[in-house]
Amino acid sequence: MTDISTRAREILERLGAGNPFDEDGELVARSPIDGGVIGRLRAHTPQEAAAAIGRAQEAFELWRAVPAPVRGRLVRELGELLREHKHDLGALVTIEAGKIVSEGLGEVQEMIDICDLAVGLSRQLHGLTIATERPGHRMMEQWHPLGVVGVISAFNFPVAVWSWNSALAFVCGDAVVWKPSEKTLLTALACQALIEEAARRAGAPDGLSQVLLGDRAIGEALVDDPRIPLVSATGSTRMGKEVAPRVAARLGRTLLELGGNNAAIVAPSADLDLTVRGIVFSAVGTAGQRCTSLRRIIVHESIRADLVSRLKAAYETLPIGSPLETSTLVGPLIDEAAADAFLRAIKRAQADGGTLVTGGTRADGVAGGQYVRPAIVDMPEQTEIVRDETFAPILYVLGYRDLDEAVGLHNAVTQGLSSSIFTLNVREAETFMSAAGSDCGIANVNIGPSGAEIGGAFGGEKDTGGGRESGSDAWRSYMRRATNTINYSTELPLAQGVEFS
Ligand code: NAD
């Protein structure tokens, strides 16, 4: 057994997940740090998935009767457990997803933050009182729990995405059945152990949170089950295009958080020191494996050469290697397929006339892991490969002459998740954020497109799927709305003046 495997097993024990391994299991838990096997796990069968959904349904029927502020206690307990175990869970994220230590911890902090937000929300799930046209009547909205929420998640935010959905769903009175990525099974089991402990402490019903391990077939069991009114699916646009029509065919709801192809416009007035820092973090953080990773910069021709040479210098000092070393800034890609996709995309960009400015090759790292040198490719135009999301650290550079052209290039991709402009010109900044500017769900000024806080609604348009999670009024997706009209008069006036006597 490798050191990494031993460490992962010790963490699982400490987090209360015990020893979940089964030598005959068909699923393999690996670490991208060295590609080594941590252990094998058994996949759930479709019958087990159906039974888990049944248990969640029973728990939901009890939970929805618990007053929302009392439900908040479950999420408060989860937040406390996450604080207590932040270092262990963060380290497990590093081991299983390959994130650097600081980003692993950051992901757990994001879970703590959403718990705080959800506890507050548990006292604020309020509807409207609406003026009625009928005398002696009152009209209002109530928000009720929705049911069992199915959560399908991607490998790159193995724990935060579950918490964004679950913390809100639990205070909204729902139960959750989670199908994590088949690449990040252990972090899911750790979260399940923590929520079960939180449920014991809070006196929440058994079965409120279920986890199902397996590949897309288990995801499809959630997608097709009519007992699940909402499927919240995070992953590639390909996955979303498969999931959405199947859920729609049974008139269920989806909340889709899919691929991005995020860009930053760099205007002539930009503070270039700050811009370079913002770009490098967004393009290279998590080894370019964030949905919000910066993939395209659209830079004014007057500063293009200067910006590219500053970025090249910054890229060439990036420490690449084991994410367990605190000095590392670029860890491994998740697997060999990801490294192959990276190398293929670089070749295609070069074939399209792109100039490789730096990187674009394999890098030394830990033997067995898939380490690459983040690439910058200066492109003559926005070709098909630039418009695709390659889930790896490739930053394409495009030039522009006026802001209309920059916004046109910016929006000429199918995805619409996150975006930025670096400028000190208030007209450019406001235009970029206006209806005629960025068509993304997130539009930032003087910060990169990645690294959102939980207080804002998170999600994007077009091929990103249109879903919104996390802050603002995203909680409404996890509830159903009832409009109530109450007649406290002795008459029965009909709306629109209809007479029926
Ligand atoms: P993926 O689409 O391969 O897998 C995501 C999840 O969907 C996995 O759990 C997988 O088993 C499941 N799945 C796949 N096909 C399915 C199907 N037909 N039915 C049901 N379930 C199915 O994505 P990935 O490689 O794990 O993650 C990377 C992708 O996720 C990128 O495109 C990235 O941009 C996107 N992502 C988006 C967000 C966001 O918030 N917009 C966040 C994280 C990741």
Side-chain angles (χ1 to χ4, degrees):
M1 205 175 290
T2 65
D3 285 355
I4 290 175
S5 169
T6 308
R7 198 164 159 206
R9 286 164 184 258
E10 287 168 359
I11 292 174
L12 284 171
E13 284 282 348
R14 284 201 292 276
L15 294 178
N19 176 0
F21 298 102
D22 178 342
E23 276 180 19
D24 301 325
E26 43 296 74
L27 301 172
V28 183
R30 286 181 190 280
S31 173
I33 297 175
D34 61 356
V37 174
I38 298 172
R40 302 185 77 91
L41 295 145
R42 218 173 53 74
H44 288 98
T45 62
Q47 293 74 17
E48 287 171 324
I53 295 166
R55 286 196 295 279
Q57 176 72 32
E58 282 168 25
F60 163 69
E61 281 162 22
L62 299 171
W63 189 235
R64 69 180 169 190
V66 175
V70 180
R71 297 195 295 250
R73 187 167 166 216
L74 170 64
V75 175
R76 197 172 73 227
E77 296 290 356
L78 177 63
E80 290 304 318
L81 285 163
L82 288 166
R83 283 181 173 86
E84 207 179 300
H85 295 289
K86 180 174 174 180
H87 280 86
D88 269 343
L89 189 57
L92 200 57
V93 169
T94 293
I95 288 173
E96 207 176 29
K99 292 191 177 190
I100 62 170
V101 171
S102 168
E103 288 183 304
L105 291 172
E107 188 165 345
V108 183
Q109 184 59 46
E110 201 169 4
M111 302 174 80
I112 294 167
D113 294 344
I114 191 76
C115 287
D116 285 354
L117 183 125
V119 173
L121 261 181
S122 71
R123 291 182 182 269
Q124 299 176 72
L125 303 172
H126 40 57
L128 299 172
T129 301
I130 302 153
T132 93
E133 63 191 53
R134 286 168 281 182
H137 283 56
R138 187 163 69 80
M139 192 156 55
M140 66 174 192
E141 281 179 355
Q142 287 192 81
W143 290 88
H144 295 306
L146 185 63
V148 180
V149 176
V151 175
I152 296 173
S153 62
F155 78 84
N156 66 323
F157 275 94
V159 292
V161 165
W162 168 75
S163 70
W164 285 6
N165 283 283
S166 300
L168 296 192
F170 290 141
V171 296
C172 289
D174 300 331
V176 174
V177 181
W178 179 23
K179 206 297 280 177
S181 167
E182 50 275 52
K183 296 174 189 173
T184 50
L185 303 161
L186 303 182
T187 41
L189 293 174
C191 290
Q192 178 65 11
L194 294 177
I195 188 68
E196 282 178 3
E197 175 59 22
R200 268 191 292 278
R201 292 184 185 182
D206 284 346
L208 201 57
S209 173
Q210 303 280 328
V211 65
L212 293 173
L213 304 186
D215 60 13
R216 52 188 290 172
I218 284 295
E220 285 165 3
L222 289 187
V223 164
D224 293 336
D225 198 304
R227 293 171 296 177
I228 298 191
L230 171 68
V231 175
S232 172
T234 299
S236 58
T237 296
R238 175 204 59 75
M239 178 275 289
K241 286 185 174 174
E242 287 166 9
V243 164
R246 285 175 76 146
V247 179
R250 61 173 176 85
L251 303 183
R253 292 191 209 165
T254 46
L255 193 171
L256 299 174
E257 298 283 353
L258 309 176
N261 190 349
N262 317 294
I265 294 174
V266 186
S269 66
D271 171 342
L272 280 192
D273 286 339
L274 178 149
T275 303
V276 168
R277 293 207 311 273
I279 288 177
V280 175
F281 169 69
S282 283
V284 165
T286 324
Q289 298 171 110
R290 287 191 183 206
C291 49
T292 50
S293 287
L294 177 59
R295 310 204 179 279
R296 302 176 291 142
I297 46 177
I298 302 165
V299 54
H300 194 267
E301 290 292 0
S302 62
I303 54 167
R304 183 174 186 164
D306 186 14
L307 180 68
V308 168
S309 92
R310 289 180 188 228
L311 287 172
K312 179 175 178 344
Y315 266 53
E316 289 176 358
T317 63
L318 286 169
I320 303 170
S322 169
L324 291 167
E325 302 291 335
T326 45
S327 56
T328 295
L329 290 180
V330 185
L333 293 180
I334 189 72
D335 55 20
E336 196 174 351
D340 289 346
F342 169 83
L343 297 170
R344 262 198 321 274
I346 304 269
K347 271 201 187 136
R348 269 188 65 188
Q350 286 175 304
D352 289 348
T355 306
L356 185 60
V357 175
T358 187
T361 56
R362 287 188 181 274
D364 294 336
V366 183
Q370 302 291 327
Y371 294 81
V372 298
R373 279 179 209 293
I376 300 175
V377 191
D378 202 333
M379 295 299 294
E381 58 183 322
Q382 186 154 257
T383 60
E384 195 184 342
I385 190 66
V386 181
R387 296 195 305 271
D388 274 356
E389 181 199 42
T390 302
F391 215 54
I394 305 175
L395 183 61
Y396 298 107
V397 180
L398 300 159
Y400 79 89
R401 289 194 171 71
D402 64 57
L403 191 62
D404 280 351
E405 183 191 2
V407 172
L409 279 169
H410 178 278
N411 292 346
V413 294
T414 57
Q415 310 86 348
L417 179 52
S418 190
S419 60
S420 302
I421 189 166
F422 288 91
T423 180
L424 299 183
N425 179 325
V426 72
R427 286 187 184 148
E428 288 180 341
E430 291 289 339
T431 302
F432 181 72
M433 288 185 292
S434 75
S438 163
D439 61 3
C440 290
I442 299 167
N444 296 332
V445 177
N446 291 329
I447 54 170
S450 76
E453 295 179 27
I454 53 91
F458 179 90
E461 303 301 330
K462 305 195 291 185
D463 277 0
T464 303
R468 291 297 185 279
E469 282 177 358
S470 192
S472 185
D473 62 354
W475 59 270
R476 293 179 179 201
S477 297
Y478 304 86
M479 302 200 86
R480 65 182 176 85
R481 183 193 327 230
T483 302
N484 308 127
T485 307
I486 303 115
N487 178 3
Y488 59 91
S489 74
T490 54
E491 303 298 322
L492 195 63
L494 299 178
Q496 297 88 42
V498 171
E499 292 288 345
F500 203 81
S501 52

